[in-house]
Amino acid sequence: MDDVVNKCQADMEKRLKGFETDLTRVRTGRASISVLDGVKVEYYGTPTPLNQVGTLSTPDARTIVISPFEKNLIQEIEKSIMKADLGLQPTNDGVVIRIPIPQLTEERRKDIVKQLKKMAEDAKVSIRHIRRDSNDAIKKAEKNKELTEDDSKQLQQDVQKHTDAYIKKVDDRLAVKEKEVMKV
């Protein structure tokens, strides 16, 4: 039955990694190419990740520059960034696309923090679902006489320890990102 606890921990770790990935996509007022991770460009009829059709760089804290591998992709890349609804306004000079990252207003920062808290709560709910599923598997094994009552209680305590640890990790990541967003 230790495999239930191990699977529980592995699933919680996956959920934490997903939450961390979601956090990297949130704009903080500094140029970061990770905000463009979800952008797909139509390339010969196939949706292709932006970083596979051009070179992305951040020459300064307020600008992202995209140098397409093929010049005919400039309009398509611009269109894809606009469609992604990231609140960014790309401009091109025929050779590269520049995306200025606007300074965040206090109101926008607070909206972003609200969005972050919702993402964190979703991650915690997901972790609690994993706990519930693990505990159900343990209780079922106990009911089927595969486990003693003491072993069942011990495994459920282990699952709860993992749950508490991963919820704390989510809270810690949220606090760091929140501080980053609110920093002027």
Side-chain angles (χ1 to χ4, degrees):
M1 273 327 287
D2 282 343
D3 54 325
V4 171
V5 176
N6 292 339
K7 182 183 181 324
C8 166
Q9 184 178 6
D11 290 348
M12 288 180 181
E13 185 64 35
K14 267 190 237 161
R15 184 60 192 106
L16 179 66
K17 293 284 183 235
F19 175 63
E20 289 170 342
T21 301
D22 293 345
L23 287 182
T24 63
R25 292 190 180 121
V26 174
R27 260 188 342 129
T28 59
R30 293 186 54 82
S32 168
I33 58 174
S34 62
V35 299
L36 299 172
D37 281 352
V39 177
K40 301 264 193 254
V41 178
E42 202 60 39
Y43 182 61
Y44 293 111
T46 307
T48 308
L50 181 58
N51 61 3
Q52 292 180 13
V53 296
T55 305
L56 286 70
S57 61
T58 52
D60 60 59
R62 295 259 171 255
T63 313
I64 296 173
V65 174
I66 304 166
S67 305
F69 298 139
E70 297 177 23
K71 300 300 175 224
N72 61 337
L73 284 174
I74 286 188
Q75 262 68 42
E76 197 58 48
I77 291 172
E78 262 189 310
K79 221 178 0 178
S80 297
I81 293 168
M82 297 296 277
K83 256 197 277 183
D85 196 26
L86 299 170
L88 301 173
Q89 296 299 318
T91 58
N92 84 68
D93 60 10
V95 180
V96 297
I97 297 170
R98 294 183 198 294
I99 306 172
I101 305 295
Q103 185 74 24
L104 295 174
T105 63
E106 188 66 25
E107 185 179 326
R108 181 69 183 126
R109 287 175 197 274
K110 287 179 180 169
D111 286 346
I112 290 172
V113 167
K114 247 187 243 172
Q115 179 186 352
L116 290 172
K117 286 181 178 175
K118 184 188 180 327
M119 289 165 57
E121 190 52 42
D122 290 347
K124 289 187 213 175
V125 166
S126 182
I127 287 169
R128 289 184 194 115
H129 283 303
I130 294 166
R131 174 189 61 191
R132 183 197 60 214
D133 294 344
S134 299
N135 283 339
D136 287 350
I138 292 167
K139 288 174 186 169
K140 184 178 175 189
E142 180 187 353
K143 188 178 175 189
N144 294 340
K145 305 284 187 231
E146 296 167 28
L147 281 175
T148 65
E149 190 176 332
D150 289 345
D151 288 343
S152 172
K153 293 262 186 274
Q154 183 59 51
L155 289 171
Q156 288 179 47
Q157 285 175 354
D158 291 348
V159 167
Q160 186 60 46
K161 282 180 198 159
H162 289 305
T163 303
D164 294 343
Y166 279 96
I167 285 181
K168 183 179 180 344
K169 288 177 184 180
V170 167
D171 286 338
D172 293 347
R173 306 300 195 281
L174 172 65
V176 168
K177 190 68 172 187
E178 196 174 330
K179 193 172 166 187
E180 190 181 314
V181 167
M182 292 310 287
K183 188 170 62 177
V184 179

